[in-house]
């Protein structure tokens, strides 16, 4: 593993730590408001009281932070999968009798009860992505990875797989039908929520990202030229790789909610 790869993994790990600290702060705020509303529920009827709107804002932040945690975790999984060797081939399997099956079920039930709060939160966020649009790596071969905007149909908690729909009709050769895929969590990156830009991580100028190319549902590698905060807008200014026009790379605007971290080892 090269030094840049290690640095990227460590950076994502630090980002997870920051996200969890932020989540804890938001949770403290939610709990304080809960206690206030339980003790004095009549306060919400007073003119000018903003308790409910503040509570809603905190819940939105909590949801966005959880989805961001899924995105970073998925990126880390992809990074680690790149370097971890696969399991030993040809492992022998024997047919399980009734006792073995019973033991397996008991172990499975025990494993479920021992799921950590972090893993349970991860699963809940995955389930909560139903009907949302996400970035998905639908194909991966020796030459390139292909990422598209898809809609989450379902998340299977047992197999940890997403069922997604590419809402863009296929080519005439494919019958022009919408395609469905079953993908692991490592192939899914949630988009930032457009309703709350302030709670979204901003990628600095010079950072490589994955972004939806304007006018399409495909995502490509791009370099951040200017950030939404600097531009005082909701858009990044990006240069997409292999987007040369007249010998130069044009700079294109892309909404912040269509820009996600570039997965480690991305091939284009």
């Amino acid at each position: 593993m090269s030094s840049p790869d290690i640095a990227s993994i460590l950076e994502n790990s630090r980002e997870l730590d920051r996200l969890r600290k932020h989540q804890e702060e938001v949770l403290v705020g939610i709990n304080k408001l809960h206690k206030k509303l339980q003790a004095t529920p009549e306060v919400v009827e007073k003119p000018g009281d903003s308790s409910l709107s503040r509570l809603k804002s905190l819940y939105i932040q909590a949801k966005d932070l959880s989805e961001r945690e899924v995105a970073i975790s998925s990126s880390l999984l992809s990074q680690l999968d790149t370097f971890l060797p696969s399991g030993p081939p040809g492992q022998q399997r024997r047919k399980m009798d009734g006792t073995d099956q019973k033991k397996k079920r008991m172990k499975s039930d025990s494993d479920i009860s021992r799921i950590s709060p972090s893993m349970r939160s991860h699963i809940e966020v995955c389930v909560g992505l139903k009907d949302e649009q996400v970035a998905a790596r639908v194909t991966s071969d020796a030459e390139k990875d292909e990422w598209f905007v898809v809609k989450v149909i379902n998340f299977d908690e047992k197999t940890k797989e997403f069922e997604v729909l590419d809402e863009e009709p296929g080519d005439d050769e494919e019958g022009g039908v919408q395609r469905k895929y079953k993908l692991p969590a490592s192939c899914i990156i949630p988009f930032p929520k457009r309703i709350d830009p302030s709670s979204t991580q901003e990628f600095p100028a010079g950072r490589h990202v994955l972004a939806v190319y304007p006018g399409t549902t495909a995502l490509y590698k791009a370099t951040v030229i200017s950030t939404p905060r600097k531009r005082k807008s909701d858009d990044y200014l990006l240069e997409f790789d292999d987007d040369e026009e007249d010998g130069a790379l044009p700079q294109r605007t892309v909404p912040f909610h269509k820009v996600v971290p570039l997965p480690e080892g991305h091939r284009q």
Side-chain angles (χ1 to χ4, degrees):
M1 191 183 300
S2 65
S3 295
D5 296 325
I6 296 174
S8 180
I9 289 175
L10 292 175
E11 181 181 350
N12 278 334
S13 298
R14 287 192 290 269
E15 178 63 17
L16 271 183
D17 288 338
R18 287 192 290 268
L19 283 170
R20 285 166 183 163
K21 289 177 181 176
H22 195 177
Q23 286 172 326
E24 290 174 1
E25 293 171 359
V26 171
L27 185 59
V28 168
I30 289 174
N31 288 336
K32 285 182 178 178
L33 274 175
H34 281 176
K35 290 179 180 178
K36 175 183 175 182
L37 293 174
Q38 287 172 355
T40 55
E42 67 279 0
V43 72
V44 299
E45 299 177 2
K46 294 181 179 180
D49 181 76
S50 61
S51 299
L52 293 181
S53 61
R54 284 190 289 128
L55 185 60
K56 179 180 178 181
S57 176
L58 286 170
Y59 272 118
I60 290 173
Q61 285 187 56
K63 186 173 184 291
D64 289 347
L65 287 168
S66 295
E67 290 174 353
R68 178 67 185 149
E69 182 182 1
V70 171
I72 296 294
S73 298
S74 298
S75 179
L76 275 169
L77 284 172
S78 297
Q79 290 172 324
L80 294 172
D81 285 344
T82 303
F83 300 106
L84 289 175
S86 57
Q91 289 182 334
Q92 291 186 348
R93 297 180 181 180
R94 62 185 180 86
K95 184 178 180 181
M96 292 188 296
D97 58 23
T99 304
D100 289 335
Q101 292 177 354
K102 183 177 179 181
K103 288 179 179 178
K104 183 178 180 182
R105 284 196 299 270
M106 291 173 64
K107 183 179 185 299
S108 177
D109 293 342
S110 177
D111 288 343
I112 292 173
S113 66
R114 291 199 301 268
I115 293 178
S116 69
S118 178
M119 178 59 71
R120 190 177 296 111
S121 172
H122 178 84
I123 292 173
E124 289 172 355
V125 170
C126 289
V127 172
L129 288 174
K130 184 178 180 181
D131 296 328
E132 297 278 351
Q133 285 190 330
V134 298
R137 189 181 71 205
V138 298
T139 61
S140 179
D141 55 36
E143 295 182 358
K144 64 178 181 179
D145 300 330
E146 291 186 333
W147 288 79
F148 294 104
V149 178
V150 299
K151 180 180 178 180
V152 175
I153 300 174
N154 185 48
F155 176 72
D156 191 319
E157 296 184 42
K158 292 182 179 179
T159 63
K160 305 296 187 295
E161 284 187 328
F162 285 91
E163 183 179 3
V164 300
L165 173 69
D166 184 354
E167 298 179 281
E168 191 77 10
D171 299 332
D172 292 338
E173 296 176 357
E174 300 170 341
V177 297
Q178 295 177 326
R179 291 157 294 183
K180 290 183 179 180
Y181 303 92
K182 286 192 175 181
L183 304 169
S186 59
C187 291
I188 300 293
I189 303 179
F191 285 116
K193 291 296 182 183
R194 69 174 70 189
I195 56 177
D196 190 12
S198 62
S199 68
T200 302
Q201 178 200 19
E202 187 171 83
F203 302 106
R207 176 71 59 85
H208 291 151
V209 295
L210 199 63
V212 178
Y213 190 85
T216 76
T217 57
L219 292 93
Y220 298 97
K221 180 182 177 182
T223 302
V224 176
I225 303 302
S226 186
T227 65
R229 185 176 294 118
K230 186 173 182 180
R231 290 166 51 81
K232 297 181 180 179
S233 73
D234 290 340
D235 299 329
Y236 280 95
L237 191 63
L238 305 176
E239 284 184 355
F240 285 89
D241 286 18
D242 306 322
D243 188 31
E244 190 171 323
E245 287 184 1
D246 300 325
L249 291 177
Q251 296 180 351
R252 304 188 185 276
T253 57
V254 179
F256 79 92
H257 58 269
K258 294 298 182 184
V259 180
V260 297
L262 182 71
E264 184 70 20
H266 175 73
R267 297 162 296 183
Q268 181 168 304

